[in-house]
Amino acid sequence: MSPIASQFGKLTSLTHLNISESGFKGKIPLAISYLSKLLSLDLSDNHGLIFEGHVFENIVKNLTQLRHLHLSNIDMSSELPDSVGNLRSLEILDLGGGNLKGPIPASLGNLTQLEHLDLSHNNFDGPIPCSVFNFTQLQFLDLSKNKLVGSFPSKVSGLSQLSILRLHHNFLSGRVPSWFFTLPSLVELMLNSNKLNGNFELTKLSELSKLEVLSLSDNVLSSFTSASNSNYSLPCLVSLQLSSCNISEFPNFVRNLEGLNFLNLSYNRIHVIEADMFLKFKGLQVLDLSHNIPLSVGNNSEVDLVLPWLSDLCLSSCNITELSNFLTTQESLMFLDLSNNNIQGRITEQENNWGSNLVNLDLSNNLLTALEYYPWKSIELLDLGSNLIEGPLLAPPPSTMAFLISNNRLNGEIPSSICNPESSYLILYLDLSYNNLSGAISKCLGLRYHSILDLQMNKFYGNIPDFWVERNYGLQILNLNNNDFDGSLPKSLANCLGLEVLNLANNKVNDTFPHWLGDLPRLKVLVLRSNYFHGQIAHSANESHFSTLQILDLSHNRFSGFLPTTYFRNFKGMMNLASVPMEYIGADRSYYIYSLALTMKGVEFMLERVLTIFAAIDMSSNRFEGTIPETVGNLISLKVLNLSHNHLTGHIPSSLGNLAQLESLDLSCNKLVGEIPSELTDLNFLEVLNLSENQLVGLIPQGKQFNTFLNDSYVGNTELCGFPVSKSCGHSDPPSAIFEEEEFDSAFGLDWKFVMMGYGCGLVFGFSAGYIMMTIRKPKWLVWMIQQAGNRVLRRFKKNR
């Protein structure tokens, strides 16, 4: 990747410049604006390019002959200037995905020759200017995935040529105006995921004779199920999306849409579907009826309905209890989702008459009890997780690429047949977690081309097998935690260059720190908790070692010596996660969700999904000694830091005050001395602080989060004084934000009318200003404040009687 050369500006006679998808990065040079004869400029899809300064304004000012301007997926990070209206010759304007913000300028209405306008995937806000709806030549309009608000104008004077209209994923409100149904050329209408309301005029829908795609999902529209609407026809309609539209019965007008290929009625309140509702859908390929609870799939023996092209059927979360004739007679089905229902019973050889062409089948979260036979000979993805399946594990069909059967009651060993080359070489995702499987792991299992291997929470024992003898990027997630593996860690893991997650917690692995894992370029999560790892962690001279690591858990082992200062310098993955997109680790895998158990804030949590912006270090319960390095303060993205139960000495470094995202700090049960640094009061997100059982002295800092910590944060430090411990420093008063009644009331602005209700593991305290829910463990400071407030209310009540 390289920057665009400024020498382009010397090509003053150039009329067409297209360097799209060429891997350029950096600032777009001002010299581009010198090409005054350009008719077409395409810089799109160079994801490293950015506009800075006034370069774009100069392009708009100087390139007045432009007809085509393609700048999609280039970072502009600014408002779209009014001067864009000066490009009066423009026919195509594509600024999608440019991180543009602010209002859409009304001056766009000056571009009377415009045929294609794409402003999608930006941050535009405010209403859509009326001028946008008055283009007479416009054929394509995409304003989707912005923050646009307001309603549509009641009348427009243009858009007669418009064929594509995409306004989905905004905050548009009000009714769908009648002029939508007068656009004679409209082929695609996408209005989903807005706040549109009122009656949708089905009587006029048939006037859109060319309409092929209609999406109205996730709005508050009505009038979809009226009986009088049963005869409307849209001969060209191939895709209809009415998800989350509060529909209570199968819409009559849908029955006559003979050309439908895609129908989405999910997340509604439809309770019954019958085979005769689909008699005219001979071309239907995708049908989504999921999340209609409860949904009864009729078994009408008089109607033998086979949809010859139906390939995708989604009926998840519909409270279905059995496989109906409608399901088992669809011979062309390739993708079937029946997850989160109440389907019971056994899968036996008698079921060999259905699903012969299935490629993806999801039966997870049901009540299946036994698996004796696989009738699906072409299956590639098979998800049977979270059922009640008992007995030995049955190896999946040879075609299987993803086999997920976690959270069942399987026992016995992994069958040897799973290691036959024709049976298992293609298994990329293998999830056998949360069962009662046992035995040693065959060497062949580690040498298969897995992307995910999850064997956690079983009873496997013996040595961990080798993983790949040659370097490759195949294995990405390896979960072996909560078993009985022993021996040393196989060094062949260093060949797994694509490894992102390695979890070996709660086994009996006996080894020294695997420093050679530091060469893995993508490793984000390393969990070695509760094993027999021992010895010192040697310093590393390689600055790239563990540079991508975000979560490190070495707790409950036998590590000794000094804390690894050089590694703290290397942990770049914990230093700046603010710019990382907030997603989940493993989110690109549709059927597998990565979860992690972690001690956080004094309680062991199961993180059902792990955010890409989450960073944590837990080195507690070892034998580390020496001081806490100042370099820990550079790990500014840390949420959790636990160094408790070691033999650490010296002062608490003031640099810990730089950990602005820190939520939990535990340094308890060490030999730390000196005063608590006042810089720790800058940790505005700190919820849990444990400095107990050390040798700290002096005044406990006050202010912000420190006013919320009670005595249990400091117990065992006999020379500490000031709130909240009982020992006074002779000049410290309790923090006014907690103890002064009038200041407390005014500071929180609460009326202190409250009720207490039992709620799960904690209490719910309801105030006139809102509510506070406490689960897992009740913060003592908050309980104390509420009790004080209650006492004041009681005193005032008695006083006024």
Side-chain angles (χ1 to χ4, degrees):
M1 297 179 72
S2 59
I4 298 176
S6 59
Q7 283 80 1
F8 273 113
K10 297 179 181 180
L11 305 175
T12 54
S13 298
L14 202 64
T15 58
H16 293 76
L17 176 59
N18 185 345
I19 52 174
S20 61
E21 300 183 71
S22 300
F24 286 108
K25 67 175 182 178
K27 300 177 183 179
I28 295 172
L30 180 63
I32 294 291
S33 66
Y34 303 159
L35 306 177
S36 58
K37 294 184 180 181
L38 274 183
L39 301 177
S40 176
L41 175 61
D42 191 345
L43 307 179
S44 62
D45 298 314
N46 288 285
H47 294 270
L49 283 181
I50 58 173
F51 274 106
E52 284 193 354
H54 300 285
V55 175
F56 182 73
E57 286 91 334
N58 279 278
I59 286 177
V60 170
K61 178 181 178 181
N62 298 334
L63 308 188
T64 55
Q65 298 184 49
L66 273 177
R67 296 178 185 174
H68 298 172
L69 181 57
H70 299 271
L71 300 176
S72 61
N73 296 310
I74 294 177
D75 188 3
M76 302 181 76
S77 296
S78 64
E79 294 189 3
L80 187 60
D82 286 330
S83 56
V84 72
N86 296 333
L87 299 175
R88 296 175 184 268
S89 298
L90 268 187
E91 298 171 359
I92 296 176
L93 178 59
D94 185 353
L95 302 177
N99 200 23
L100 289 161
K101 56 188 177 182
I104 296 175
S107 62
L108 283 178
N110 298 335
L111 310 181
T112 56
Q113 304 302 310
L114 210 57
E115 298 175 4
H116 181 113
L117 176 59
D118 188 347
L119 302 179
S120 63
H121 293 81
N122 280 291
N123 293 306
F124 287 115
D125 53 29
I128 302 173
C130 292
S131 58
V132 170
F133 297 110
N134 294 328
F135 292 114
T136 57
Q137 304 298 319
L138 198 65
Q139 300 174 27
F140 180 100
L141 176 59
D142 191 348
L143 304 179
S144 63
K145 296 192 175 181
N146 280 286
K147 301 175 182 178
L148 300 171
V149 299
S151 57
F152 298 108
S154 58
K155 294 181 180 180
V156 297
S157 58
L159 303 184
S160 60
Q161 304 297 317
L162 193 67
S163 61
I164 307 293
L165 178 55
R166 297 173 181 166
L167 301 173
H168 55 92
H169 289 90
N170 279 289
F171 301 96
L172 301 172
S173 57
R175 294 176 177 269
V176 177
S178 57
W179 58 261
F180 270 75
F181 307 103
T182 66
L183 304 177
S185 303
L186 201 60
V187 173
E188 180 179 322
L189 178 58
M190 303 280 287
L191 298 176
N192 56 287
S193 303
N194 279 288
K195 297 182 179 181
L196 301 174
N197 54 51
N199 291 335
F200 187 79
E201 300 183 59
L202 283 171
T203 55
K204 297 182 178 181
L205 189 60
S206 58
E207 297 177 18
L208 301 175
S209 59
K210 297 182 180 179
L211 195 64
E212 297 179 7
V213 176
L214 176 61
S215 180
L216 302 172
S217 300
D218 297 297
N219 282 291
V220 199
L221 299 168
S222 56
S223 295
F224 292 116
T225 58
S226 172
S228 62
N229 296 326
S230 59
N231 295 319
Y232 304 134
S233 176
L234 291 166
C236 297
L237 196 68
V238 296
S239 175
L240 177 62
Q241 297 190 49
L242 298 177
S243 174
S244 299
C245 286
N246 202 30
I247 298 173
S248 59
E249 61 185 66
F250 194 87
N252 286 322
F253 84 97
V254 174
R255 300 182 186 221
N256 294 318
L257 303 177
E258 299 183 19
L260 273 186
N261 292 336
F262 182 99
L263 176 59
N264 185 354
L265 293 171
S266 62
Y267 289 91
N268 281 295
R269 295 184 293 113
I270 301 171
H271 297 316
V272 177
I273 60 168
E274 297 286 353
D276 57 3
M277 296 177 178
F278 303 92
L279 288 175
K280 296 184 179 181
F281 295 166
K282 296 303 181 182
L284 194 64
Q285 299 176 22
V286 178
L287 175 60
D288 189 348
L289 295 168
S290 61
H291 295 270
N292 285 278
I293 305 174
L295 180 67
S296 172
V297 182
N299 277 319
N300 190 340
S301 59
E302 297 179 2
V303 179
D304 186 16
L305 176 65
V306 176
L307 300 174
W309 298 103
L310 188 66
S311 62
D312 294 48
L313 178 58
C314 186
L315 292 169
S316 65
S317 301
C318 290
N319 202 26
I320 295 173
T321 58
E322 61 181 355
L323 299 176
S324 66
N325 291 336
F326 174 73
L327 293 176
T328 58
T329 55
Q330 304 309 314
E331 299 176 356
S332 62
L333 270 182
M334 299 177 65
F335 303 88
L336 176 59
D337 187 352
L338 294 170
S339 61
N340 295 289
N341 283 291
N342 289 312
I343 300 173
Q344 307 177 28
R346 309 162 70 89
I347 298 178
T348 66
E349 198 164 354
Q350 297 177 353
E351 309 289 342
N352 63 0
N353 61 341
W354 74 282
S356 58
N357 293 314
L358 276 176
V359 174
N360 285 23
L361 174 61
D362 190 346
L363 281 167
S364 63
N365 291 282
N366 278 285
L367 301 173
L368 297 172
T369 56
L371 180 63
E372 301 172 5
Y373 178 78
Y374 294 113
W376 316 292
K377 303 306 180 185
S378 302
I379 202 74
E380 293 181 4
L381 189 150
L382 179 58
D383 191 348
L384 298 169
S386 299
N387 277 279
L388 304 173
I389 300 173
E390 299 178 330
L393 173 66
L394 184 64
S399 58
T400 308
M401 298 180 67
F403 183 47
L404 313 169
I405 195 167
S406 63
N407 288 285
N408 278 283
R409 301 174 180 177
L410 298 171
N411 54 41
E413 299 186 358
I414 297 177
S416 58
S417 58
I418 206 170
C419 279
N420 293 336
E422 66 274 11
S423 296
S424 63
Y425 185 75
L426 292 177
I427 298 182
L428 300 179
Y429 299 177
L430 180 60
D431 185 358
L432 308 179
S433 62
Y434 291 88
N435 279 287
N436 292 311
L437 297 169
S438 58
I441 301 300
S442 172
K443 292 183 179 180
C444 77
L445 199 61
L447 300 178
R448 295 300 172 199
Y449 196 90
H450 298 304
S451 174
I452 295 173
L453 180 59
D454 194 339
L455 304 180
Q456 66 176 306
M457 300 298 293
N458 279 285
K459 299 177 181 178
F460 295 118
Y461 55 79
N463 290 341
I464 298 172
D466 280 320
F467 288 88
W468 292 103
V469 293
E470 297 179 355
R471 294 162 72 86
N472 73 91
Y473 287 88
L475 188 63
Q476 298 172 22
I477 294 180
L478 179 59
N479 278 347
L480 301 179
N481 53 290
N482 294 85
N483 282 285
D484 287 313
F485 290 115
D486 55 26
S488 60
L489 197 59
K491 287 186 169 56
S492 58
L493 283 172
N495 295 325
C496 302
L497 301 180
L499 196 63
E500 298 177 17
V501 176
L502 176 60
N503 192 339
L504 301 174
N506 295 294
N507 280 287
K508 299 174 182 177
V509 179
N510 192 336
D511 206 342
T512 56
F513 181 73
H515 60 87
W516 36 269
L517 290 176
D519 291 323
L520 298 180
R522 299 179 183 175
L523 190 64
K524 296 179 181 178
V525 179
L526 177 60
V527 181
L528 305 179
R529 181 181 67 249
S530 298
N531 278 280
Y532 298 138
F533 285 97
H534 56 272
Q536 300 184 18
I537 300 179
H539 294 292
S540 172
N542 189 336
E543 294 182 0
S544 65
H545 262 198
F546 297 107
S547 61
T548 58
L549 203 63
Q550 293 177 216
I551 299 175
L552 175 64
D553 189 347
L554 305 181
S555 63
H556 296 277
N557 278 286
R558 299 172 181 174
F559 289 116
S560 58
F562 298 129
L563 292 174
T565 303
T566 54
Y567 283 130
F568 291 136
R569 294 195 189 102
N570 293 352
F571 291 157
K572 302 295 191 298
M574 305 182 193
M575 292 182 185
N576 187 16
L577 294 177
S579 59
V580 174
M582 189 165 62
E583 300 171 347
Y584 292 108
I585 293 178
D588 57 331
R589 304 167 182 92
S590 300
Y591 286 87
Y592 179 84
I593 298 174
Y594 175 68
S595 58
L596 173 68
L598 193 70
T599 300
M600 188 167 58
K601 304 172 186 177
V603 179
E604 184 169 301
F605 282 85
M606 175 58 72
L607 303 177
E608 295 296 338
R609 293 173 180 264
V610 182
L611 284 169
T612 52
I613 62 170
F614 183 78
I617 292 178
D618 189 346
M619 305 177 78
S620 63
S621 299
N622 280 284
R623 301 169 183 175
F624 289 116
E625 58 190 50
T627 60
I628 300 174
E630 288 280 350
T631 52
V632 176
N634 296 330
L635 309 179
I636 59 175
S637 293
L638 273 182
K639 304 282 188 184
V640 177
L641 177 60
N642 189 348
L643 302 176
S644 66
H645 292 86
N646 281 288
H647 306 297
L648 300 175
T649 57
H651 293 74
I652 298 174
S654 59
S655 64
L656 296 188
N658 298 330
L659 305 180
Q661 302 299 316
L662 200 65
E663 299 177 11
S664 177
L665 175 61
D666 192 345
L667 304 177
S668 62
C669 299
N670 281 288
K671 300 176 183 179
L672 300 173
V673 299
E675 297 185 350
I676 300 172
S678 60
E679 288 83 356
L680 297 188
T681 60
D682 294 331
L683 303 178
N684 293 328
F685 295 103
L686 195 63
E687 297 180 26
V688 172
L689 174 68
N690 192 349
L691 304 177
S692 63
E693 304 300 337
N694 279 287
Q695 299 168 20
L696 301 171
V697 300
L699 175 66
I700 296 173
Q702 303 299 319
K704 300 181 181 179
Q705 291 299 98
F706 268 72
N707 289 359
T708 69
F709 303 134
L710 292 186
N711 188 61
D712 57 355
S713 293
Y714 310 104
V715 68
N717 294 279
T718 57
E719 296 303 315
L720 283 176
C721 58
F723 176 82
V725 300
S726 57
K727 184 176 181 179
S728 173
C729 293
H731 58 274
S732 62
D733 296 318
S736 59
I738 290 185
F739 287 94
E740 297 296 329
E741 293 186 9
E742 297 304 323
E743 290 184 21
F744 180 74
D745 289 349
S746 61
F748 279 81
L750 300 177
D751 192 15
W752 291 110
K753 298 174 183 176
F754 61 90
V755 295
M756 299 185 186
M757 299 172 289
Y759 192 94
C761 300
L763 297 173
V764 174
F765 295 83
F767 303 95
S768 60
Y771 68 89
I772 301 169
M773 181 183 297
M774 296 179 289
T775 60
I776 305 297
R777 115 176 150 88
K778 299 181 285 293
K780 296 179 180 178
W781 64 270
L782 185 54
V783 174
W784 186 89
M785 287 195 299
I786 293 171
Q787 289 173 342
Q788 292 294 103
N791 291 336
R792 289 197 297 276
V793 170
L794 185 59
R795 289 197 300 271
R796 293 170 186 171
F797 174 75
K798 291 179 178 179
K799 182 177 179 181
N800 294 327
R801 288 186 63 179

